[in-house]
Amino acid sequence: MCDNATPRESLLGTEMIKNESFTVHNTFKTIIPLYDAFILDQFGVMHNGKNALPGATEAVDMIYSQNKKLIILSNSSAGSKDTIEKLPKLGFKQEMF
């Protein structure tokens, strides 16, 4: 990470860190218009198993509201149906999945 890096507070943070070889985006706001689809891992990115992580529900809302394809990955041993049914309990809108 570059010397001027600051910790990420949420998926919706506002700071963008530039480096000679890459750009770190601390927000989805600036990259949503650039891509047609997003792949998010569930555990550790969207939630911790008990609660949605800071900014995660808002980021998913933004992706959905801009009609982008959203692919959710999970290495859970639970089936897809069970995994999808858990997301609304963590604060995510059911109609998005």
Side-chain angles (χ1 to χ4, degrees):
M1 192 166 245
C2 56
D3 292 335
N4 66 344
T6 58
R8 263 190 281 183
E9 293 181 15
S10 76
L11 291 174
L12 296 177
T14 57
E15 186 170 350
M16 186 184 335
I17 302 167
K18 292 194 176 186
N19 179 308
E20 290 179 15
S21 47
F22 61 89
T23 300
V24 176
H25 297 271
N26 288 334
T27 176
F28 270 93
K29 290 178 186 178
T30 59
I31 65 170
I32 291 173
L34 303 176
Y35 299 95
D36 295 326
F38 292 84
I39 302 171
L40 300 179
D41 182 46
Q42 280 194 60
F43 195 83
V45 175
M46 294 176 63
H47 62 81
N48 63 11
K50 295 183 180 185
N51 300 297
L53 295 176
T57 57
E58 295 87 352
V60 170
D61 287 348
M62 274 197 250
I63 293 167
Y64 183 80
S65 70
Q66 293 187 35
N67 297 314
K68 304 294 182 167
K69 185 170 180 99
L70 179 59
I71 300 165
I72 307 297
L73 298 178
S74 175
N75 62 354
S76 170
S77 60
S80 296
K81 183 180 176 194
D82 293 334
T83 303
I84 290 170
E85 287 175 355
K86 184 175 185 175
L87 292 174
K89 296 173 187 168
L90 299 171
F92 298 94
K93 296 177 184 167
Q94 184 172 359
E95 65 269 13
M96 295 181 186
F97 306 102

